[in-house]
Amino acid sequence: MSGLRFTRRHALGLGAAAVGALGLNSVSLNSTAVAASASAAAGGYPKGSRPRVLNVLQESALSPAELTLATTLQGQLARTGSEGLYLDIPSLGYRLWLDDLADRYGVRVGPGDLWKTLEQSRVAGYILFRQGTSSVNVATTLAGLTGAIAIEESLEATAIRSGLRKVLDVRDKDEQWVWSNYSHRLRHDVVIEQKEDWPERLRDYATMAGAFAFFDGNSAFRAEVVGALDDDATVIGWGDAANGEDTFIGPNSDAGVKAIPADHARNLSVLSGIRADRISQRGPVETPRPDPDAHYVSFLITDGDNIQWMLGDFPTDPRWFGSAQRGKVDLGWGISPSLVDLAPSVMRWYYDQSGGGGRAAGASGTDRFVVGPSGGGYMYPSRFPKAALDKHTGSLAQEMERADLSVVQIIDFDSFPDTALWSTYLKRPQIDGLIYLEYSRYDSHKGKVVWANGKPVISARTMLWDGLPGADEASVIAELNSATRDPHSTAGYSVVLWHAWSKSLDNVMTVVDGLAPHVKVIPPDTLVKMVSRHANPQG
C-alpha cells in the first residue's frame, strides 16, 4: 500500500473620493491595520471585543446577499463589542455556543432584525459587489480596511434607503487587484482562503481582523500570496483539494505558513471576543502503575485541527463527541490550540464536557485532548523552513501551556526517523511527545518509536479506516490482542487512529469490546507519559 494516496477530509487602491465618503483617510486605514496587528501580537490571533448583547439571526431566514451583509456587519460590530450579531443554526453546535455565552459569560441574547441593527450601527458606507464573482472577496477585504459593509447589487436600493453611502463599486474587481494595490495595508500574519460560493462563512472574521480574503485554486497568484506572508503566518479557511490537500498544504509549508481548516466556520468574530489566559482539561494527570502483563492502547480520532468541524456538528453528532458511547472508555480527541484565542468558550465547553458533563451516569472513561496535526495548524514540518519552524514551535508551546495540552499529532512524508526535526518540537518543555502519522498511510511505521531530547515520537501501530486492508475492526482486534505485553518496551504500547469520516465511536467500541483482558485502554497523553517513563532507552 506504499503508493496509496488519500485525503483525510470530506470532499471537503481606494481613491480619495471613495475613502472620503466614509470620512476616512490613509492614516485611519493604516491605523486599522496596525490595531489589528497589535491585537494579534497580544493573543496569537486577531480577536473581537467581548460581546455584551447579541442580536440573533437565523441563518436559514436570510438570502445569500443578506448573509454577506450580515456577516460583514457582524465583523464591524465585533470590533466594538457592545451590541453585535450572531448567526444561529440550531442543528449545529452554534446553538450550544450561544447558550454558553449567555449562561457562563452573561451575554444578553435575543432575536434580531438585520436592517434595524444596521441602521442603529455606526456603519456609514458600503462596498458594492456582485454575487457569484470574486468581487465578494474583494468587498469582504475592503470592508475590513474601510469600516464599510459589503452590499450585493440586488440590495443596493435598500442600503441607500437605510442611509448608507457607496464607498466603492468593486463588481469588476478581483483579489489580484486588491493584492496588487493594497498588500502593503493588509496584515501578513493571517489571511482568509474562502471560495466565492460561500456568502457568509468566515466573512465576519475576515472583516473584524482586516484580513485579505481570496480564493484562486492552486495558482501562481496563490503561491505569490503565501510566499509574501510572515514566517509562521496562518491561512484560515481551506484550499482546492481536488487533487489532494497536499497540493496546497505543501506549498504553504515550503513558505513557512500553516493552515487552519475553517471554511465553513461562522461567528468567529464573536467567539474570539471571549478572553482566557488558561483553560484546563479535566481527568487524570497521573500515570498508572504499569502492569507487567499488559499491553496499553490509546484510541485517537483524526482531523482534530479542523475547527469548522469542532464548531459545527462534532459536538452533537452521534458518530463523534455526541455519541452515547462516550464515557464508556478512555478516548483521545484532537483539538486545535488556536481555539484558546479563536473560540476559548468553545474549548472550555469541550473540556467541561470531558469531565462527565453530558454523559450517562456512571461513565468512567476519560476524554483527553491532544494537539491536532501538525501543531498550531496543518502543515508538513519537514518542508517548513528552519527559522519558521522554530518560531512555530515556540508559539505552539505557549498555546499548549495556555490550553493544557502536552502531546502533538504530526502528519508528514517520510520524516519519521528525522530526530533533529522532532527536536525542534521536543526541546520545548511544554511538549511531552509526538504522535507521528505517515501521510499515506497513517500506520506505515507500525508503532515504532524514535527519541529526541529524551522524549518519544510514537508512530501509529494500526488504524480504523473503512475500505483499507487491515484497518477493519476484526483486524485491529486481532493485532492488539496479539501485541507485546511489556510496559518496559515500546512494543508494549499502541496508538490506534480512527478515521473521523469513515468510522464512528460505535466502531471504536466494537474494537474495545473485542479486546482481551490484558489489553488496557488509556488516554493518549497518559500513554506518551508511560512510554517516556517506563520504556525510555535512556532511562
Side-chain angles (χ1 to χ4, degrees):
M1 298 297 295
S2 60
L4 177 68
R5 295 180 64 79
F6 48 82
T7 181
R8 60 196 178 96
R9 302 188 194 282
H10 281 306
L12 280 184
L14 298 181
V19 174
L22 281 184
L24 297 174
N25 53 37
S26 60
V27 174
S28 60
L29 284 173
N30 287 329
S31 297
T32 299
V34 169
S37 296
S39 172
Y45 287 94
K47 293 177 66 65
S49 297
R50 182 175 176 127
R52 288 183 284 175
V53 178
L54 289 175
N55 298 302
V56 180
L57 305 177
Q58 298 302 314
E59 182 175 290
S60 61
L62 300 176
S63 69
E66 288 173 324
L67 286 170
T68 306
L69 184 167
T71 48
T72 53
L73 175 60
Q74 182 184 32
Q76 299 296 2
L77 294 175
R79 289 176 167 179
T80 64
S82 54
E83 184 165 343
L85 287 176
Y86 189 92
L87 288 186
D88 186 22
I89 311 170
S91 61
L92 300 180
Y94 294 99
R95 176 64 59 82
L96 294 174
W97 319 139
L98 180 62
D99 290 344
D100 186 59
L101 288 173
D103 295 342
R104 183 191 291 268
Y105 300 96
V107 179
R108 289 187 289 130
V109 303
D113 180 282
L114 174 58
W115 290 98
K116 183 181 293 185
T117 302
L118 173 59
E119 291 169 3
Q120 293 174 348
S121 74
R122 296 182 178 180
V123 173
Y126 65 92
I127 312 289
L128 188 66
F129 74 95
R130 177 171 291 134
Q131 190 172 305
T133 72
S134 296
S135 65
V136 65
N137 279 340
V138 176
T140 300
T141 301
L142 295 182
L145 286 183
T146 64
I149 58 171
I151 290 289
E152 209 278 330
E153 58 187 358
S154 64
L155 298 179
E156 184 176 22
T158 309
I160 292 171
R161 286 196 298 270
S162 296
L164 270 66
R165 292 169 291 170
K166 182 165 62 180
V167 176
L168 193 66
D169 182 345
V170 300
R171 288 177 291 180
D172 63 343
K173 300 294 191 290
D174 62 14
E175 298 100 329
Q176 293 190 45
W177 175 83
V178 177
W179 187 254
S180 296
N181 287 280
Y182 299 104
S183 62
H184 63 289
R185 288 181 176 167
L186 294 166
R187 61 186 318 129
H188 282 59
D189 57 343
V190 173
V191 294
I192 307 297
E193 188 165 22
Q194 181 60 297
K195 291 181 180 178
E196 299 87 352
D197 299 345
W198 304 121
E200 83 287 22
R201 301 166 202 190
L202 270 184
R203 299 195 183 281
D204 66 305
Y205 189 77
T207 301
M208 182 278 296
F212 180 50
F214 76 105
F215 192 89
D216 200 50
N218 297 308
S219 66
F221 172 63
R222 186 188 188 280
E224 177 188 347
V225 171
V226 299
L229 299 180
D230 299 339
D231 278 357
D232 196 36
T234 308
V235 179
I236 301 179
W238 196 239
D240 180 1
N243 294 314
E245 61 199 33
D246 56 314
T247 57
F248 59 94
I249 298 298
N252 283 2
S253 302
D254 294 337
V257 172
K258 59 188 180 293
I260 294 181
D263 51 322
H264 294 281
R266 286 86 156 177
N267 298 308
L268 275 181
S269 62
V270 173
L271 294 169
S272 67
I274 301 299
R275 263 66 177 173
D277 292 331
R278 180 178 173 85
I279 305 174
S280 298
Q281 294 198 60
R282 298 190 178 189
V285 293
E286 295 298 323
T287 58
R289 185 173 183 176
D291 180 343
D293 193 43
H295 182 84
Y296 290 92
V297 60
S298 287
F299 293 90
L300 179 58
I301 198 170
T302 64
D303 292 77
D305 58 318
N306 191 333
I307 70 169
Q308 65 183 17
W309 179 41
M310 301 292 286
L311 296 173
D313 53 354
F314 178 76
T316 57
D317 195 297
R319 289 173 291 175
W320 307 310
F321 207 74
S323 173
Q325 303 272 26
R326 191 171 62 84
K328 294 182 178 179
V329 68
D330 292 339
L331 289 171
W333 307 92
I335 197 168
S336 173
S338 69
L339 287 177
V340 77
D341 282 318
L342 291 176
S345 62
V346 173
M347 177 175 271
R348 179 174 281 120
W349 184 92
Y350 278 115
Y351 285 6
D352 287 352
Q353 292 292 310
S354 300
R359 302 190 300 185
S364 59
T366 298
D367 299 304
R368 293 287 292 180
F369 289 86
V370 305
V371 175
S374 287
Y378 180 27
M379 52 81 163
Y380 309 129
S382 65
R383 294 177 63 168
F384 240 58
K386 189 176 186 302
L389 185 61
D390 197 62
K391 180 179 180 181
H392 173 80
T393 60
S395 298
L396 169 63
Q398 293 176 17
E399 283 184 325
M400 290 175 65
E401 184 170 22
R402 292 175 59 208
D404 193 21
L405 297 162
S406 62
V407 175
V408 182
Q409 284 180 289
I410 300 290
I411 290 180
D412 212 328
F413 295 80
D414 304 317
S415 299
F416 177 63
D418 190 350
T419 55
L421 178 64
W422 309 132
S423 179
T424 311
Y425 286 83
L426 296 176
K427 70 181 180 181
R428 310 292 180 184
Q430 298 91 338
I431 305 177
D432 289 343
L434 308 177
I435 294 174
Y436 182 87
L437 315 177
E438 192 66 51
Y439 184 89
S440 180
R441 49 185 267 180
Y442 283 178
D443 59 354
S444 297
H445 300 284
K446 304 306 298 179
K448 291 180 181 177
V449 177
V450 296
W451 299 84
N453 291 73
K455 300 175 184 178
V457 183
I458 304 170
S459 66
R461 184 175 303 280
T462 187
M463 62 185 185
L464 281 169
W465 192 308
D466 189 46
L468 293 183
D472 59 282
E473 289 86 333
S475 297
V476 173
I477 291 169
E479 184 162 1
L480 294 176
N481 284 344
S482 62
T484 299
R485 308 187 202 183
D486 182 3
H488 298 287
S489 165
T490 57
Y493 301 87
S494 293
V495 173
V496 180
L497 265 291
W498 58 285
H499 182 230
W501 312 122
S502 68
K503 294 291 184 178
S504 70
L505 192 45
D506 287 343
N507 301 116
V508 174
M509 291 308 301
T510 296
V511 174
V512 171
D513 291 342
L515 295 178
H518 70 271
V519 181
K520 299 184 183 297
V521 182
I522 57 176
D525 52 347
T526 299
L527 184 142
V528 167
K529 284 183 170 65
M530 289 188 70
V531 170
S532 187
R533 185 172 301 173
H534 303 296
N536 192 331
Q538 301 174 11

